[in-house]
Amino acid sequence: MAGTGSSRRTFIAGAGAAAAAGAVLTGAGAAPATAAEAGPTPGGRRVAVLGGGVAGLTAAHELAERGYAVTVYERRALGGKARSMDVPGSARGGRRPLPAEHGFRFIPGIYHNLPDTMRRIPFPGNAAGVWDNLVAPREMMFARAAGREDLRGPIPWPGHSPAELTPEEIRRALTGILQTLVRLPPHETAYFVDRVLVFLTSCDERREDVWERTPWWDFVRAERMSNEYRRILAVGITRNIVATKAEEASTRTVGTLGEAFVFNLLGRGADGPPDRILNLPTNEAWIDPWEAHLRSLGVEFRIGWTVREVRYADGRVSGIAVEGPDGVGRTVTADQYVSALPVEHARRTWSAALRAADPMLGRCDKLETDWMTGIQFYLTERAELVHGHLNCIDSPWSLTAIQQAEHWPARDFPADYGDGTAVDCLSVDISEWDKPGILYGKTAKQCTREEVAREVWAQLKASLNDTGKALLTDSTLHSWFLDPGVDGLGTPHPTNQDELLIHPVGTLHNRPSAGTRIPNFFLSGDYVAVDIDLATMEGANASARAAVNSLLDRDGSDAARCAVHRMYRAPELEAAKRHDRWRYRLGLRNLFDLG
């Protein structure tokens, strides 16, 4: 069901398919093949990349640029959770099918590794490649239910850049933001700002030893505060940004991302505006050009190939058991292997022998995933909602959404997509699948697909139509599309092929490194320990760079190492962190921690 429209064919035809240099695939038919049939490459530089999502494509990109012969094995479609896809049967009159997706793309200014890759992917007419396809929404909104006023605010850029980033300057800026947008009681605003300052000035040891084991709910003292405080600053932040319950989410994870966004808003350490999205459906703007570019570098793709087992013998990975599109099992071999599958799929492929060779792999069984899945509503009239993302913070299913057509200036939605009557795509993420809804009183997992669509639509209307103006009307609803990775809804055993890594307390200590004890086996994915402590495309990209660097080290390569950009650290706060390290080692609280 992945997007295979005319844009993809055009890009691939334009780039041309490179000759198959050193194919990794070994054998055809039912019988396992030998490695010799693959045709060895000079210097033993064949790499099998397992998985074609952002992590796998990044690894392939970095390796191909350094002269490695790369084959990517992907069971479904390139792009993974980041891809867009076609709505089956939706095209009429020579138009493209309606675009759908697992969830809307969000590429904030705190990202640096992913934008660097995007700049290196050519796109016709763009000086900076697909990076030039990023656009910045002008505003955002917290949509309230039950007649409460929606909180709507602009996203200024260029950002505020204070002359000196002191705790007092941060306090002033955050207090102003919260008082303008959230309008909490003054004492609650002051308390939350103090908690932010505690985290910002905490040393790394305190963050990893204390805040990693402290739930965000407890850190911000949500139980003592008003419902507004809990909904916006506890539940709203954790459920809609890190897809983890506030009562369980690691303060280190929530705080690290919050810190980065605060600096971004203050104009520090930013690649660009705090909120950026693509100006076309994801495959058109990014994934298809990326595939074409990688093919031009000699990367080969085996789409429809499912990795079944990573085999281990004689101290190394000896081969990969795969199942081809024809259902026939095969063995593929390479010199090096990069596992770029999502953790819930990757760990099923690790054999007992492989796990015994590196106990770090076994700790990955403790990593947890949850559901955060998208649904799109196609409208026959443009709704006057907000020119950017909206967060329905009172919705039981923790909905976030964005109207996309106005941000796709390179396309005329009704002229280019569907049957010509849909003028917009309202893309919605469902972050909570285990709480009852307002229409049927059932959880999202207990609902059928049709009931999920009706329930989400009802929750959107409850948040947006509650102040006397009907912004969303049933008469303008053209159709809807729910991510096909979700199956079995309404049955006792619902499944989701695309779960999201979540970050309850203690998660950090079970995240693996990119390099393993197995000399030819490397890990890439948003579950791998990198500087950005969250399941993100940035984390997937950074981990792939780390995996390639580890591979280059093991291979004794003299190729330039991949740049791995770290999260921004404000130099003005380093002295406070050094002071906090002294206090922490003496068993004292952070200087700003008043309890």
Side-chain angles (χ1 to χ4, degrees):
M1 301 180 72
T4 55
S6 59
S7 66
R8 179 176 183 178
R9 291 191 292 270
T10 300
F11 279 117
I12 292 175
V24 177
L25 176 64
T26 67
T34 66
E37 290 177 300
T41 59
R45 296 167 66 85
R46 298 173 303 136
V47 183
V49 174
L50 315 179
V54 171
L57 294 178
T58 302
H61 193 158
E62 300 291 348
L63 288 164
E65 287 186 341
R66 290 158 176 78
Y68 285 82
V70 182
T71 302
V72 176
Y73 296 88
E74 167 57 43
R75 67 186 173 90
R76 188 174 52 188
L78 297 179
K81 290 190 286 289
R83 78 193 191 283
S84 58
M85 62 196 85
D86 297 340
V87 176
S90 61
R92 299 286 188 277
R95 299 179 184 85
R96 304 164 186 263
L98 289 170
E101 57 199 353
H102 167 73
F104 55 74
R105 303 276 62 74
F106 172 52
I107 304 174
I110 67 172
Y111 290 3
H112 288 274
N113 294 286
L114 186 68
D116 173 70
T117 296
M118 298 177 82
R119 289 183 177 95
R120 290 153 48 205
I121 303 170
F123 191 92
N126 287 0
V130 302
W131 184 85
D132 281 341
N133 290 336
L134 293 174
V135 294
R138 305 196 306 270
E139 57 183 350
M140 55 85 68
M141 180 170 73
F142 291 126
R144 307 308 309 268
R148 282 176 284 186
E149 181 182 358
D150 294 334
L151 309 177
R152 183 169 176 163
I155 302 177
W157 193 261
H160 168 58
S161 185
E164 188 177 4
L165 194 59
T166 63
E168 189 54 40
E169 174 66 17
I170 295 171
R171 185 192 302 276
R172 185 206 63 76
L174 284 181
T175 300
I177 291 170
L178 291 176
Q179 287 179 346
T180 300
L181 293 180
V182 183
R183 302 169 193 173
L184 296 171
H187 72 279
E188 291 189 350
T189 297
Y191 185 80
F192 183 79
V193 170
D194 277 339
R195 301 311 289 168
V196 171
L197 289 175
V198 167
F199 188 85
L200 290 177
T201 58
S202 287
C203 63
D204 293 341
E205 290 93 328
R206 192 185 298 276
R207 293 184 182 198
E208 294 181 9
D209 295 340
V210 179
W211 302 142
E212 171 63 21
R213 294 181 170 87
T214 303
W216 179 251
W217 183 269
D218 295 344
F219 180 77
V220 298
R221 307 295 194 270
E223 192 63 39
R224 306 179 188 177
M225 302 299 179
S226 66
N227 184 60
E228 291 289 286
Y229 182 101
R230 291 195 294 269
R231 291 296 304 168
I232 297 172
L233 299 179
V235 175
I237 289 176
T238 57
R239 200 61 191 159
N240 292 310
I241 295 179
V242 299
T244 305
K245 295 177 175 63
E247 296 86 348
E248 302 171 359
S250 156
T251 290
R252 181 185 184 276
T253 296
V254 179
T256 297
L257 266 293
E259 175 182 58
F261 279 112
V262 166
F263 289 149
N264 196 173
L265 286 167
L266 296 178
R268 293 299 190 94
D271 181 80
D275 189 0
R276 295 182 298 189
I277 61 175
L278 292 164
N279 65 359
L280 287 167
T282 308
N283 272 37
E284 293 185 49
W286 175 24
I287 303 301
D288 291 344
W290 202 1
E291 176 188 356
H293 180 57
L294 295 183
R295 287 185 184 274
S296 76
L297 295 177
V299 176
E300 295 194 359
F301 295 96
R302 300 285 186 261
I303 310 300
W305 294 75
T306 302
V307 177
R308 295 300 184 192
E309 183 182 10
V310 179
R311 292 176 174 165
Y312 178 83
D314 301 322
R316 302 172 62 83
V317 170
S318 58
I320 308 295
V322 300
E323 183 179 301
D326 55 6
V328 176
R330 296 169 171 84
T331 299
V332 299
T333 62
D335 300 303
Q336 313 278 1
Y337 302 85
V338 177
S339 177
L341 300 170
V343 65
E344 69 273 20
H345 298 296
R347 58 194 176 197
R348 291 199 292 262
T349 70
W350 298 338
S351 63
L354 189 77
R355 288 167 172 263
D358 191 342
M360 175 182 72
L361 300 177
R363 292 201 300 273
C364 291
D365 291 339
K366 298 179 181 179
L367 297 176
E368 298 180 33
T369 59
D370 203 348
W371 292 31
M372 185 175 185
T373 304
I375 182 172
Q376 288 78 52
F377 295 95
Y378 304 96
L379 309 178
T380 57
E381 293 181 13
R382 181 73 53 82
E384 295 299 325
L385 302 180
V386 63
H387 301 293
H389 289 96
L390 65 92
N391 184 331
C392 300
I393 60 175
D394 295 321
S395 58
W397 290 1
S398 296
L399 306 179
T400 50
I402 187 169
Q403 289 185 110
Q404 294 184 314
E406 69 174 291
H407 304 290
W408 293 343
R411 291 278 180 268
D412 184 295
F413 202 93
D416 290 339
Y417 298 103
D419 61 7
T421 62
V423 303
D424 209 344
C425 172
L426 179 60
S427 188
V428 184
D429 276 354
I430 308 169
S431 298
E432 174 58 76
W433 286 77
D434 295 306
K435 287 187 178 179
I438 64 174
L439 196 60
Y440 299 105
K442 297 191 291 187
T443 70
K445 292 177 183 177
Q446 293 170 334
C447 291
T448 65
R449 297 179 73 86
E450 291 74 16
E451 288 172 340
V452 166
R454 295 191 192 104
E455 178 70 55
V456 172
W457 186 249
Q459 291 187 31
L460 288 171
K461 290 193 296 182
S463 293
L464 297 167
N465 293 355
D466 61 318
T467 55
K469 185 176 181 180
L471 301 178
L472 290 180
T473 61
D474 295 344
S475 62
T476 63
L477 179 57
H478 175 278
S479 55
W480 56 269
F481 183 84
L482 177 62
D483 182 3
V486 172
D487 197 14
L489 292 177
T491 74
H493 303 290
T495 60
N496 188 344
Q497 296 186 53
D498 299 297
E499 295 192 21
L500 185 73
L501 181 73
I502 60 173
H503 297 262
V505 293
T507 295
L508 173 69
H509 305 294
N510 294 317
R511 296 180 70 172
S513 61
T516 73
R517 294 184 183 179
I518 299 98
N520 63 339
F521 185 61
F522 310 89
L523 303 179
S524 173
D526 59 16
Y527 66 98
V528 174
V530 291
D531 204 38
I532 187 167
D533 185 24
L534 189 67
T536 59
M537 296 184 294
E538 174 78 348
N541 185 280
S543 70
R545 292 165 179 250
V548 170
N549 285 345
S550 183
L551 185 153
L552 295 174
D553 291 343
R554 297 276 179 85
D555 207 25
S557 172
D558 59 2
R561 296 319 190 243
C562 307
V564 182
H565 304 277
R566 300 201 63 183
M567 301 283 283
Y568 177 74
R569 293 176 71 105
E572 298 95 328
L573 296 180
E574 291 305 306
K577 291 180 181 179
R578 288 193 296 271
H579 179 70
D580 187 60
R581 184 180 302 114
W582 172 78
R583 293 180 64 87
Y584 177 66
R585 291 174 178 176
L586 291 177
L588 302 174
R589 288 182 173 183
N590 178 277
L591 185 64
F592 292 94
D593 193 349
L594 304 178

